C-alpha cells in the first residue's frame, strides 16, 4: 500500500469509509446467502429437519445476528443506490457527500424500525 | 518557437498493473452495468422478502415448513425467489471476483480463489433452483393436511 497518504481528497475521508463499508457488507451478505440457500434446501429433504434448523433462527441470540445482517443489507442497499446515482446522475459526484448523509439518515430510520419489530417478536413481546 | 508535445499515453498501462495476459473485450463494462441493474432489482426483491418473512404477521416466529409450502404454492413467490437467488448470487459472485482481483496479486492464487468461488456459485445456484422447482409439500416428515 502507498505510504504517501496525506493530501488526497479520498483517503481517510467519507468516500473511503463508505467504500470499505460497502465492500465488507457485500462479502458478509454473500457468505450468509450461501448458508441461507443450504438451510432452505432442507425443505426438499425433510420437513422436521427444516423446522429444527429454523427454530434455531427463532432464538434471541440468532435474532441479534439477523438484526446485524439486516443492518448490513440496509447499508449496502442504500449506499448502492448512492453509488448508482454518483455514476448516472449528472450532479452525482458533486453531491456524493450529501448523499452519504442521506444514506446514513435513511439507514438509521429504517434500521430502527426493523430492529424494534424483529427483536420484540423474537424476544416474545408484541 | 516550436514545442513538441508528447503523444497521448492514455492507452498505455504500466506493466506492473497488468494482471492477465489477454483483453476481455466489453466483459468488464457489462459486469459493471450488471452490478447496477441487479442492485436496483435486488432492492425490490430483498425488501419484499424481508417484509413478507420478518415483518408482517408473526414475523420470524411464523416461519416453518408449512410457511414455505404456503409461499411456494403461489407461482409469483416461486418466481420472486428464483429471481432473487440468481440475481443475488451473480451480483455477489461478481463483487467477490472484483475483490479477489484487487487483493490476490499472484496469478495462481487469483486463479485458485476464483475457481473455488465459481464452483461454489454454480453449486448454490443449481441447488437453489432445483429446490424451488421440485418442491414437494408432502416430503418426508410433512404434516400438511393434504398429505
Ligand atoms: C440490496 C440491493 C443491492 C444494491 C443496490 C447493491 C449495489 C451494489 C453496487 C452499486 C455495487 C458496486 C459495484 C461496482 O463497484 O462496480 C455493489 C457491489 C457489491 N455487492 Fe451489492 N448491492 C445489493 C445487494 C447485494 C447482495 C444481496 C450481495 C451479496 C449476495 C451483494 C454483494 C456485493 C459485493 C460482494 C460487492 C463488491 C464490493 C466491492 O467491490 O467493493 N450486494 N453492490
Amino acid at each position: 500500500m502507498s505510504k504517501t497518504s496525506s493530501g488526497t481528497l479520498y483517503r481517510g475521508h467519507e468516500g473511503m469509509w463508505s467504500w470499505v463499508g460497502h465492500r465488507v457488507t457485500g462479502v458478509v451478505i454473500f457468505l450468509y446467502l450461501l448458508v441461507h440457500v443450504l438451510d432452505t434446501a432442507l425443505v426438499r429433504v425433510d420437513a422436521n429437519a427444516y423446522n429444527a434448523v429454523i427454530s434455531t433462527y427463532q432464538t434471541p441470540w440468532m435474532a441479534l445476528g439477523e438484526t446485524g445482517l439486516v443492518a448490513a443489507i440496509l447499508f449496502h442497499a442504500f449506499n448502492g443506490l448512492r453509488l448508482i446515482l454518483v455514476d448516472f446522475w449528472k450532479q452525482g459526484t458533486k453531491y456524493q457527500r450529501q448523499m452519504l448523509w442521506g444514506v446514513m439518515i435513511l439507514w438509521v430510520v429504517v434500521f430502527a424500525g426493523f430492529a424494534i419489530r424483529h427483536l420484540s417478536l423474537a424476544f416474545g413481546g408484541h | 518557437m516550436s514545442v513538441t508535445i508528447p503523444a497521448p499515453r492514455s492507452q498505455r498501462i504500466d506493466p506492473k498493473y497488468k494482471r492477465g495476459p489477454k483483453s476481455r473485450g466489453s466483459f468488464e463494462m457489462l459486469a459493471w452495468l450488471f452490478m447496477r441493474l441487479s442492485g436496483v432489482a435486488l432492492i425490490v426483491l430483498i425488501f419484499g422478502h424481508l417484509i413478507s418473512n420478518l415483518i408482517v404477521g408473526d414475523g420470524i416466529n411464523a416461519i416453518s415448513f408449512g410457511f414455505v409450502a404456503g409461499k411456494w404454492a403461489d407461482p409469483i413467490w416461486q418466481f420472486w425467489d428464483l429471481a432473487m437467488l440468481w440475481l443475488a448470487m451473480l451480483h455477489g459472485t461478481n463483487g467477490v471476483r472484483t475483490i479477489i482481483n484487487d487483493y490476490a496479486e499472484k496469478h495462481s492464487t487469483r486463479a485458485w480463489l476464483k475457481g473455488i468461488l465459481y464452483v461454489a456459485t454454480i453449486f448454490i445456484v443449481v441447488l437453489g433452483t432445483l429446490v424451488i422447482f421440485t418442491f414437494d409439500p408432502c416430503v418426508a416428515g410433512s404434516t400438511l393436511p393434504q398429505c
Side-chain angles (χ1 to χ4, degrees):
Chain A
M1 233 182 230
S2 165
K3 299 210 164 53
T4 53
S5 65
S6 57
T8 75
L9 285 169
Y10 179 71
R11 201 171 161 137
H13 292 269
E14 304 87 349
M16 185 191 97
W17 291 114
S18 68
W19 168 77
V20 170
H22 199 81
R23 187 157 266 202
V24 170
T25 53
V27 173
V28 168
I29 301 164
F30 183 69
L31 293 177
Y32 170 75
L33 177 59
L34 301 180
V35 176
H36 186 46
V37 173
L38 291 176
D39 67 56
T40 303
L42 283 174
V43 297
R44 195 63 198 86
V45 181
D46 187 301
N48 295 320
Y50 179 76
N51 287 338
V53 170
I54 284 300
S55 65
T56 67
Y57 279 91
Q58 289 157 344
T59 60
W61 279 111
M62 285 294 274
L64 287 175
E66 291 141 26
T67 307
L69 182 75
V70 169
I73 293 173
L74 292 175
F75 175 79
H76 191 96
F78 296 148
N79 189 59
L81 277 184
R82 168 176 161 267
L83 294 180
I84 294 168
L85 286 172
V86 167
D87 288 341
F88 289 111
W89 177 40
K90 273 201 287 302
Q91 311 285 325
T93 46
K94 196 169 153 203
Y95 292 110
Q96 62 88 13
R97 213 166 151 262
Q98 286 88 334
M99 286 197 287
L100 184 58
W101 281 106
V103 166
M104 294 320 287
I105 292 167
L106 198 59
W107 180 74
V108 168
V109 171
V110 178
F111 175 66
F114 175 82
I116 292 168
R117 174 75 181 142
H118 188 62
L119 292 176
S120 58
L121 282 166
F123 283 83
H126 280 284
Chain B
M1 221 169 73
S2 70
V3 178
T4 27
I5 299 168
R9 300 190 307 167
S10 58
Q11 293 304 306
R12 182 183 164 271
I13 298 170
D14 191 309
K16 76 170 178 281
Y17 296 120
K18 283 213 166 115
R19 286 185 174 172
K22 57 189 190 303
S23 142
R24 323 255 305 269
S26 60
F27 176 80
E28 291 299 343
M29 196 270 275
L30 291 173
W32 176 90
L33 190 62
F34 171 77
M35 289 307 272
R36 277 131 191 92
L37 295 177
S38 60
V40 172
L42 281 168
I43 293 209
V44 177
L45 293 168
I46 294 176
F47 279 44
H49 180 73
L50 293 175
I51 290 169
S52 73
N53 291 5
L54 297 182
I55 300 290
V56 300
D58 270 332
I60 183 120
N61 298 328
I63 299 180
S64 66
F65 179 79
F67 177 88
V68 179
K71 269 187 109 179
W72 283 348
D74 183 345
I76 292 178
W77 278 121
Q78 284 189 311
F79 174 76
W80 191 288
D81 288 355
L82 188 76
M84 193 166 59
L85 170 74
W86 279 73
L87 289 178
M89 281 303 295
L90 292 179
H91 178 108
T93 300
N94 188 246
V96 173
R97 179 184 70 91
T98 304
I99 295 174
I100 292 172
N101 282 339
D102 276 357
Y103 298 124
E105 295 182 14
K106 251 178 77 187
H107 180 76
S108 60
T109 314
R110 237 173 20 253
W112 269 104
L113 289 176
K114 285 194 270 184
I116 295 168
L117 173 69
Y118 299 153
V119 169
T121 298
I122 291 169
F123 177 76
I124 293 291
V125 169
V126 170
L127 176 72
T129 304
L130 285 176
V131 168
I132 293 172
F133 281 127
T134 71
F135 178 75
D136 173 11
C138 296
V139 75
S142 171
T143 53
L144 296 181
Q146 69 264 41
C147 307

